[in-house]
Each structure stands twice: as structure tokens, then as C-alpha cells.
Amino acid sequence: MTIHQSPEAFGYDSFLAAHQSKEVLRFITCGSVDDGKSTLIGRLLHDTKQIFDDQVTALQRDSRKHGTQGAEIDLALLVDGLQAEREQGITIDVAYRFFSTDKRSFIVADTPGHEQYTRNMATGASTADVAVILVDARQGLTRQTRRHALLVSLLGIKRVALAVNKMDLVGWSQDKFAAITQAFDAFAAPLGFTEVRAIPLSAKNGDNVVLPGAAVPWYTGTPLLQYLEEVPVRVEEQAAPFRMAVQWVNRPNSEFRGFAGLIASGRVAPGDSVVIAPSNRTSTIARIYTADGDLPHAVEGQSVTLVLADEVDASRGAVIAAASAPIRVTDSLDARLFWAAETELNQGATLLAKIGTVTVNAVVSTIRSRLDPETGQAEPVTRLVANDIGDVTLTLDRPVPVDAYAQNRDTGGFILIDRETTDTAALGLVQAASSAPKPAETNVAESEPFEPVKSGGLLSGIKRLFGG
Amino acid sequence: MSAALAATRAERLTHLQRLEAESIHIMRETVAETENPVMLYSIGKDSSVLLHLALKAFAPGRLPFPLMHIDTTWKFKEMIAFRDQRAKDLGLDLIVHTNQEGLARGVGPISHGSEVHTDVMKTQGLRQALDKHKFDAAFGGARRDEEASRAKERIFSLRTAQHRWDPKRQRAEPWHVYNLRKKRGESLRVFPISNWTELDVWLYIEQENIPIVPLYFAKPRPVVERDGQLILVDDDRLPLEPGETPKDISVRFRTLGDYPLTGAVESDAATLPEIIGETLAARTSERQGRVIDKDGSGAMERKKQEGYF
């Protein structure tokens, strides 16, 4: 059992210690409108006892008014947030949900399945460790499933739970489940996932969500929640070289000068050699200052203030990186954009790019191609429209430190801002380094950031995947 | 914290460590990219956490922004005493603003009802104060787990020059890259503890030993029962119905606001571990104690569009 124990059961001290030492897992749920995604999240919240009596009362009232389950409580209504969305019966934005067990805390990005909202899914996926991709057992894999799998792989998610939902409606057919699992494995093969875990479940009835499903004797694997409690987190970020973007130079007096920031990846300790980009000056970590005292070392995910051994000039926007693995500094970026604005993007457009903690002017010097979100194929285009995924070259007005997104999500991800409206116009992923703008006919295999490329190359892999 | 726990934490970050780091990052981004930020300080537990995080974010320097309390004049007496003591102990730059026009008209929760009172004394009071001081960013302690419409609130929420929230103009917030750009007159509401839950807040208060208003701890207090809510008789402005006498019941508050609008819960939890135990076992959500959320589903969403924090 993973539901909260009562504190009386094993004493307040160990109870507090257990809760205060828990890790967090961030995951995204992807599914089409009818796959039962909201019901699944509602089920996770309900069965881990996150739902309170007054919320159940409100739910009963709302179920009669908006529900789709007749007289039964519609768990989907727990998570369908904004009133306008309720009335339309679909979720149209990213919502964050929270629940916890004795083992972990969870932050769920609940993103829409509707086709035109790739931006929201990209946002939700950008910080997720795991994607839960829902499939309706009656439908099997759909275009949406392929689209979701492609999208989460593009955003760098390495671990996927394939939640085959509504198994009760296909009589818990083991053959059906096996067919869906095999089909998914075949088409996900080139997407670079480290792990795909398929789980047959019924969100409506609760089988294999939190508790094992009594209806499924042939399934000997773990329920979804147990998988989420045990899957490793932040593996890639911990393994990557040390990176920290300077947010703020803390200089309260002439005695102290520290560089404050959130460690994007890796590990740092006093005595470590570092290089400051873009100035390319080197120094040594003298102290890791925090309000709780100096640390003997710090790791990705911590907000710290670094004091360097030398009088190095670094300001907001600089990146402090491991000297053994310096960060690239460039004023020309090949990037994959998730275009979010309603207006078109044309060659020559100037936007603001915020990369880490630096904001620069970026001119779209080339629009190379658009990625078809259903077939995965790149096609040459000269403009991007709302919700397009496209590959472009940006020329920046000064050099900035970046990594390829495939190597580091936090130092390789950026946003483009419309200078007039100030809206966020695109999410961008830095692709592998290139010296010159490429022609529009660029082969996908060259610009595709995800490793490893399987035999036959990624392009043929994607063709296989989408039956092209 | 125990030595064993500290050792565990050195290798793998806990949920609370990651939440703390994210909140500190958000505060530093705000200070780096806005002209004139302010922290809205409501004196409650979430504000106490927010203040603690801010002190950590900018240490060893001082807080680079003032705190501001919108005083409706109906807060619990103990809240005001706590506020003033904290400001004194920490040497805080504290602004207290009351809507003088509303005060002159005698607007209050009993005479005008919760909706009018909250709109005039809280929402309009906040707008007045933000305009008066020309703040372009305001930190608040709202959390996404509090209410359905907040689950989709951004960490950096853009408000028009009229302080309205437009659900259609909310910006994507991928990775840790936040867009703080705004046009003249527009401002940002910043919610550094968006991703914290009520349980996280309590666990963190316990871990960090953060001072909070004593009203959060149970003790016998004089209360009357109104529409299923236990209301503390905090001063003589609360008119008693004929035959109604306050009863001393052991109660505590899960959330604090204007005393006539804030229900207590019966409880014997007088220590943080006991409160945390009750929070885990709780069968009602903390906002149930808030009278203003009760104007039907979607009430908070409407209030937010009108500029309620």
C-alpha cells in the first residue's frame, strides 16, 4: 500500500522525516479528448486520498450538471478546471495537479489532447521526467497517439508509461493489449525512449491505476502509480556536466560578491575549475553560499550563490560551466521552434530570444522546414503558422552560451518573445552546432538532435514509424 | 534535521528542496527583470513561507523589495500583532494600505456582505496601492492546489493596466524560462509557491522552523456557529443574534483572512506535527473555511478576472 500512513502508526518524528525526505516526480499526461485522461488523473487524486469531502459534494452537484457518467460521479470533473472549458467539455490549457504518497510527491502537467494545442503539450513536457500516454483499448493506436509520442520524444522525455485505458470495455483482452503494446513498441523504436512501460487499466473503475486490478489476473506487472513511484528521476540532468546561468549578482557589501542561480545540470564543489561563458574566463569555485550555510557540494536543481576565487567579471546572462566540459558560445542557432503565436513567422522577422537568463535580439535568417506532426517528415517551407513545428536558423545580436537540447534541456531550451505584443511566440530547442545556415532541403537526419540514430538512419526510422 | 536525513539529502534532492529552489529562482528572476517589485504580505502561513524564501533568495543581502499588506481593518487582532512584530524583528520595509474611500463609507463584511466587502476593501484596495506606488510586479502566495481555476494560473501572470486577468493571454512557461516582458502600464503577479501544496507548506514550516500566527494552533476560543462555519468572536463588531452566546471550543484556522469571513475547524492540534497529521487525514479542503469561495462553481475565476489576487 502506498497511501498515506497515519502519523500515529509509527511516530511523529519518523513520519515527518519520511515526508520531508520524499522525492518529486513530474509527469505529463497525453491523450485525446476521449481517451479518459481527465478520468485517469481524477482517479489518481481520488484513490490517493487527495480529494476532500467538500470537493466530493461539489463533484456530485457538478456531475449532475456537466457529467458524462449519468448518475455516477464523473472524476473527470475534478480536473477540468476553467468554467468555459467545462461547458465545452474539453480541456484547452495546461493545468498542474498535485498528489503524494508515502514514497513520492507528484506534479502532473495535464495537457490537452486537442490537435491545435501542441504548444501546451510542449510546455507540459518540457519539465516532465515521464510521459503517461493514454490509449483507448477499443481504438488502439491513433494518429494522436503517434503525435503525442513524437512530441514527448522531441521534448526530451526518455521514459514513457503507455496507459492502455478502458480495458474493461474490451473484456480485459490480453490479445488486444499485446497487439497495442507491440504496435507502440514498433513505432516508438526510433524515438529514443529509454523505457516504455505498458499497463492495462481502467481509469473509470480504478483497476491498475493505484491498486492492482482484480479483473486482470494475467497482468503481473505493477499498477501505474507504483511505476511512477519507482521510475528514476532527473537521471540525465544529474549526469550532464555542471551548468548554472547567472541570474543575479549578489553584492551586499564590498566583502561579498556572489553569482546567484539555479543549477541546471551536474554537480559542483569548492575547488572545481569553471569557465564563464561567453567571456571564456576561467576561475575556481571558492564557496557555495546559501542562507543555510556554505555547502560542501551542490547538484542540479539547487538555487545557490557561487563565490569565485578570482575577480571575474560575470553578470546576468553568463553561464558558469565545468571547465572540463565548456558550453558552446554562438551567435547563430539552428533551432526547432514550436510556433505558438497566431501570426505567421516569416524569414527576416526579428524577435527577442530568452535563453537561460539572457535576452537577445534574434533575426530569423532562414526557415528551413516544417515537421509534419503526424508523419514526422520534414517538408521545406518559407513560413510557419500557429502550432507549426519548424526548423529555423536564428542570427543573434551577440553570442550566447547554449548546449544542444538533446544534451541539456535547461541550457538548450529557449523562448521567443514578440517584441510588440510581448507575448511568448515560440518555444525553441537548440539543435546541434552548425557553422552556416543550411539550405531549405536539409535532411532531417542532419538536424534531428536525438541520439542514438538507429541503423538505417532516423529518416528511414521515422518512415517506418509512420508507415511512410 | 537529523544527521541521517541531512546525509540523504546531500545526494538526492527532496521535494521540498526542489520546491524551495524553484521559488528562489522565480524571485530572483523577478528582481532581475522588473523595475519595482513588491511582496504582498497577507500575514498567513503562505505569506510566512514566501517571506522566508525571499530572505533566503537574497541572503546575505537585504530584501530588495518592500512588503505590502492590504488591510481591510477586519483581520484577526492576532494577525496584526504578528505582522508588526515580524516587521520589527526583521527590520522589514512594510507598507500598510487601507482603502480609505471604502473605510469612510463604512464598508464591512457584516454591513455589506462578503462580496461587496471583499471587492471594495481587498480588490480595489490592492489596485489603489499598486497604482499609488507604481509597482510593476507583485509577489503573492497563491498555490495551484487551492482551487480549480488556479490550477492553470501561470507563475508569472500578466495583468492589464486595469489589473484584469485574461485567460487567453497567459504565456507558456517551459523549462525555467519565464517571459517577464510587459507593455507600459501592465504588471505581473508572481506566484513563487504555485507548485506547493498545503501539506508542503506545513512540512516546510516545520522543517525551517518558520514563525506563524498562533491562530493556526488549536486552543479554546470563543466562537459562534453561522451557516455551518465556526466564526471567532474577535471583537465587539460581530453582532450576536438574539440568544446566541459564544462558546469556548478548541479550534484552529487552516487559512486566515477577515475574521467574520473565516471559519475555524474544531481541532486539538496544538503542534506542527499534529497539524501535519491532521492535514494528511483531512476530509475537507482548506478553502472550505472561506466564505467568498461559496458563490457557486467558478466564483474564484470571476473574482480573478476582476483583479482579485
Side-chain angles (χ1 to χ4, degrees), chain A residues 30-45:
Chain A
C30 318
S32 327
V33 178
D34 300 319
D35 292 337
K37 181 163 56 75
S38 293
T39 306
L40 178 68
I41 299 170
R43 172 62 64 188
L44 283 166
L45 299 180

Side-chain angles (χ1 to χ4, degrees), chain A residues 33-254:
Chain A
V33 178
D34 300 319
D35 292 337
K37 181 163 56 75
S38 293
T39 306
L40 178 68
I41 299 170
R43 172 62 64 188
L44 283 166
L45 299 180
H46 183 270
D47 287 5
T48 55
K49 316 290 183 209
Q50 314 294 312
I51 308 302
F52 301 123
D53 288 346
D54 54 327
Q55 290 174 308
V56 171
T57 309
L59 186 61
Q60 285 164 340
R61 188 182 63 221
D62 289 354
S63 294
R64 285 194 294 273
K65 196 168 160 192
H66 303 289
T68 57
Q69 303 293 327
E72 288 179 56
I73 287 188
D74 186 353
L75 288 173
L77 293 179
L78 281 171
V79 295
D80 283 344
L82 298 187
Q83 198 163 31
E85 295 174 29
R86 266 191 202 189
E87 278 150 20
Q88 293 169 27
I90 54 162
T91 309
I92 56 170
D93 206 338
V94 192
Y96 293 90
R97 308 288 166 192
F98 307 87
F99 67 97
S100 65
T101 68
D102 283 348
K103 296 201 178 115
R104 270 192 182 161
S105 289
F106 299 92
I107 300 178
V108 190
D110 179 14
T111 61
H114 199 279
E115 309 195 359
Q116 66 202 67
Y117 291 95
T118 48
R119 165 198 89 153
N120 296 326
M121 191 174 290
T123 302
S126 73
T127 51
D129 297 296
V130 170
V132 175
I133 298 179
L134 265 97
V135 177
D136 182 332
R138 296 170 304 176
Q139 309 286 328
L141 303 188
T142 63
R143 281 160 49 185
Q144 291 273 21
T145 316
R146 293 175 162 85
R147 190 186 289 244
H148 295 155
L150 178 65
L151 216 100
V152 300
S153 82
L154 292 179
L155 268 296
I157 292 181
K158 296 291 182 196
R159 291 165 191 84
V160 170
L162 184 71
V164 183
N165 191 25
K166 307 195 184 185
M167 283 296 294
D168 53 316
L169 300 182
V170 296
W172 294 97
S173 160
Q174 190 170 3
D175 291 345
K176 191 104 190 170
F177 177 72
I180 290 171
T181 306
Q182 281 158 18
F184 187 87
D185 284 346
F187 91 66
L191 296 183
F193 295 127
T194 307
E195 179 181 41
V196 174
R197 178 73 66 92
I199 301 169
L201 52 85
S202 165
K204 185 164 162 282
N205 299 340
D207 299 279
N208 281 335
V209 179
V210 170
L211 302 171
V216 217
W218 51 264
Y219 177 71
T220 52
T222 57
L224 177 62
L225 181 67
Q226 191 184 333
Y227 173 71
L228 297 173
E229 285 183 326
E230 292 169 358
V231 63
V233 295
R234 308 289 293 175
V235 179
E236 288 75 21
E237 290 82 356
Q238 284 163 10
F242 172 70
R243 303 279 188 260
M244 188 193 89
V246 175
Q247 284 189 281
W248 163 263
V249 182
N250 196 335
R251 265 177 127 163
N253 55 56
S254 58

Side-chain angles (χ1 to χ4, degrees), chain B residues 21-96:
Chain B
E22 178 184 72
S23 302
I24 287 174
H25 175 258
I26 291 161
M27 290 179 173
R28 289 169 172 171
E29 281 299 282
T30 309
V31 166
E33 289 208 20
T34 63
E35 311 257 314
N36 192 17
V38 65
M39 176 172 287
L40 297 180
Y41 180 66
S42 72
I43 320 175
K45 64 182 191 302
D46 301 308
S47 279
S48 291
V49 166
L50 211 56
L51 174 57
H52 183 81
L53 291 164
L55 293 168
K56 281 192 159 187
F58 301 100
R62 285 174 53 85
L63 270 195
F65 43 76
L67 270 63
M68 183 164 75
H69 177 226
I70 305 302
D71 193 346
T72 62
T73 75
W74 289 87
K75 300 296 168 193
F76 294 87
K77 287 196 295 282
E78 283 182 72
M79 290 173 73
I80 301 301
F82 178 86
R83 176 195 73 189
D84 294 344
Q85 189 62 46
R86 287 296 280 161
K88 191 167 157 237
D89 292 348
L90 297 169
L92 300 172
D93 178 4
L94 173 70
I95 299 166
V96 176

Side-chain angles (χ1 to χ4, degrees), chain A residues 15 20 22-23 52-54 83 85 96 105 126 247 250 292 297 300-301 303 316 354 405 422 424, chain B residues 5 10 12 15 18 21 25 29 33 56 58-59 151-152 171 175 178-179 203 206 280 283 285 301:
Chain A
F15 164 79
Q20 287 169 341
K22 279 193 296 196
E23 285 185 300
F52 301 123
D53 288 346
D54 54 327
Q83 198 163 31
E85 295 174 29
Y96 293 90
S105 289
S126 73
Q247 284 189 281
N250 196 335
D292 297 320
H297 67 263
E300 62 78 30
S303 279
R316 177 173 168 83
K354 184 172 180 186
Y405 188 79
T422 73
T424 299
Chain B
L5 186 54
R12 292 162 77 178
H15 179 44
R18 286 193 189 274
H25 175 258
E29 281 299 282
E33 289 208 20
K56 281 192 159 187
F58 301 100
K152 300 184 182 192
R171 296 156 167 177
W175 308 289
Y178 303 103
N179 175 2
L203 289 169
E206 199 281 336
L280 280 177
R283 300 305 310 148
S285 68
E301 189 184 338

Side-chain angles (χ1 to χ4, degrees), chain B residues 12 29 45 63 71 81 84 86 93-94 106 133 138 142 152 159 163 168 186 205 208 237 279 288 295:
Chain B
R12 292 162 77 178
E29 281 299 282
K45 64 182 191 302
L63 270 195
D71 193 346
D84 294 344
R86 287 296 280 161
D93 178 4
L94 173 70
H133 298 278
K152 300 184 182 192
R159 302 299 162 103
H163 302 287
K168 303 280 179 223
E186 291 178 340
I205 287 170
E208 302 284 304
R237 289 182 294 175
T279 302
Q288 196 185 32
D295 310 328

